[in-house]
PDB file of all heavy atoms in Angstrom:
ATOM      1  N   PHE A 153      21.280  17.898 -38.045  1.00 98.00           N
ATOM      2  CA  PHE A 153      20.835  18.449 -39.336  1.00 98.00           C
ATOM      3  C   PHE A 153      21.627  17.847 -40.494  1.00 98.00           C
ATOM      4  O   PHE A 153      21.061  17.539 -41.552  1.00 98.00           O
ATOM      5  CB  PHE A 153      20.937  19.982 -39.329  1.00 98.00           C
ATOM      6  CG  PHE A 153      19.727  20.652 -38.726  1.00 98.00           C
ATOM      7  CD1 PHE A 153      19.671  20.942 -37.374  1.00 98.00           C
ATOM      8  CD2 PHE A 153      18.627  20.992 -39.510  1.00 98.00           C
ATOM      9  CE1 PHE A 153      18.548  21.552 -36.806  1.00 98.00           C
ATOM     10  CE2 PHE A 153      17.507  21.590 -38.966  1.00 98.00           C
ATOM     11  CZ  PHE A 153      17.470  21.879 -37.603  1.00 98.00           C
ATOM     12  N   LYS A 162      13.157  14.641 -43.339  1.00 97.00           N
ATOM     13  CA  LYS A 162      12.489  15.908 -43.616  1.00 97.00           C
ATOM     14  C   LYS A 162      12.443  16.862 -42.428  1.00 97.00           C
ATOM     15  O   LYS A 162      12.280  18.063 -42.590  1.00 97.00           O
ATOM     16  CB  LYS A 162      11.031  15.627 -44.053  1.00 97.00           C
ATOM     17  CG  LYS A 162      10.930  14.758 -45.302  1.00 97.00           C
ATOM     18  CD  LYS A 162      11.282  15.563 -46.548  1.00 97.00           C
ATOM     19  CE  LYS A 162      11.406  14.710 -47.793  1.00 97.00           C
ATOM     20  NZ  LYS A 162      12.770  14.303 -48.132  1.00 97.00           N
ATOM     21  N   LYS A 163      12.538  16.305 -41.199  1.00 98.00           N
ATOM     22  CA  LYS A 163      12.254  17.160 -40.038  1.00 98.00           C
ATOM     23  C   LYS A 163      13.239  16.884 -38.910  1.00 98.00           C
ATOM     24  O   LYS A 163      13.594  15.736 -38.662  1.00 98.00           O
ATOM     25  CB  LYS A 163      10.820  16.864 -39.560  1.00 98.00           C
ATOM     26  CG  LYS A 163      10.363  17.762 -38.427  1.00 98.00           C
ATOM     27  CD  LYS A 163       8.878  17.659 -38.178  1.00 98.00           C
ATOM     28  CE  LYS A 163       8.522  16.447 -37.362  1.00 98.00           C
ATOM     29  NZ  LYS A 163       7.110  16.402 -36.972  1.00 98.00           N
ATOM     30  N   VAL A 164      13.651  17.940 -38.221  1.00 98.00           N
ATOM     31  CA  VAL A 164      14.434  17.773 -36.994  1.00 98.00           C
ATOM     32  C   VAL A 164      13.636  18.402 -35.857  1.00 98.00           C
ATOM     33  O   VAL A 164      13.296  19.599 -35.908  1.00 98.00           O
ATOM     34  CB  VAL A 164      15.818  18.447 -37.106  1.00 98.00           C
ATOM     35  CG1 VAL A 164      16.560  18.384 -35.774  1.00 98.00           C
ATOM     36  CG2 VAL A 164      16.660  17.782 -38.198  1.00 98.00           C
ATOM     37  N   ASP A 193      15.898  23.185 -46.425  1.00 97.00           N
ATOM     38  CA  ASP A 193      15.022  22.085 -46.879  1.00 97.00           C
ATOM     39  C   ASP A 193      14.516  21.218 -45.733  1.00 97.00           C
ATOM     40  O   ASP A 193      13.708  20.317 -45.952  1.00 97.00           O
ATOM     41  CB  ASP A 193      15.778  21.172 -47.858  1.00 97.00           C
ATOM     42  CG  ASP A 193      16.212  21.957 -49.085  1.00 97.00           C
ATOM     43  OD1 ASP A 193      15.581  22.994 -49.364  1.00 97.00           O
ATOM     44  OD2 ASP A 193      17.194  21.537 -49.734  1.00 97.00           O
ATOM     45  N   ILE A 194      15.046  21.458 -44.550  1.00 98.00           N
ATOM     46  CA  ILE A 194      14.647  20.608 -43.425  1.00 98.00           C
ATOM     47  C   ILE A 194      13.808  21.421 -42.450  1.00 98.00           C
ATOM     48  O   ILE A 194      14.205  22.515 -42.029  1.00 98.00           O
ATOM     49  CB  ILE A 194      15.892  20.036 -42.719  1.00 98.00           C
ATOM     50  CG1 ILE A 194      16.644  19.147 -43.715  1.00 98.00           C
ATOM     51  CG2 ILE A 194      15.515  19.237 -41.471  1.00 98.00           C
ATOM     52  CD1 ILE A 194      18.028  18.788 -43.296  1.00 98.00           C
ATOM     53  N   GLU A 195      12.650  20.872 -42.122  1.00 98.00           N
ATOM     54  CA  GLU A 195      11.771  21.566 -41.177  1.00 98.00           C
ATOM     55  C   GLU A 195      12.337  21.430 -39.769  1.00 98.00           C
ATOM     56  O   GLU A 195      12.742  20.353 -39.349  1.00 98.00           O
ATOM     57  CB  GLU A 195      10.380  20.912 -41.225  1.00 98.00           C
ATOM     58  CG  GLU A 195       9.375  21.531 -40.277  1.00 98.00           C
ATOM     59  CD  GLU A 195       8.134  20.651 -40.064  1.00 98.00           C
ATOM     60  OE1 GLU A 195       7.927  19.702 -40.848  1.00 98.00           O
ATOM     61  OE2 GLU A 195       7.409  20.920 -39.107  1.00 98.00           O
ATOM     62  N   MET A 196      12.389  22.542 -39.039  1.00 98.00           N
ATOM     63  CA  MET A 196      12.780  22.454 -37.634  1.00 98.00           C
ATOM     64  C   MET A 196      11.537  22.615 -36.775  1.00 98.00           C
ATOM     65  O   MET A 196      10.798  23.587 -36.917  1.00 98.00           O
ATOM     66  CB  MET A 196      13.787  23.530 -37.272  1.00 98.00           C
ATOM     67  CG  MET A 196      14.052  23.570 -35.767  1.00 98.00           C
ATOM     68  SD  MET A 196      15.207  24.860 -35.270  1.00 98.00           S
ATOM     69  CE  MET A 196      14.559  25.274 -33.659  1.00 98.00           C
ATOM     70  N   GLU A 197      11.331  21.642 -35.892  1.00 98.00           N
ATOM     71  CA  GLU A 197      10.196  21.722 -34.972  1.00 98.00           C
ATOM     72  C   GLU A 197      10.736  22.005 -33.573  1.00 98.00           C
ATOM     73  O   GLU A 197      11.693  21.371 -33.131  1.00 98.00           O
ATOM     74  CB  GLU A 197       9.454  20.372 -34.964  1.00 98.00           C
ATOM     75  CG  GLU A 197       8.350  20.303 -33.920  1.00 98.00           C
ATOM     76  CD  GLU A 197       7.737  18.905 -33.789  1.00 98.00           C
ATOM     77  OE1 GLU A 197       8.481  17.914 -33.839  1.00 98.00           O
ATOM     78  OE2 GLU A 197       6.518  18.830 -33.630  1.00 98.00           O
TER      79      GLU A 197
END
Side-chain angles (χ1 to χ4, degrees):
F153 275 91
K162 300 285 171 264
K163 185 168 80 173
V164 174
D193 299 337
I194 297 166
E195 179 195 346
M196 172 182 147
E197 174 187 40

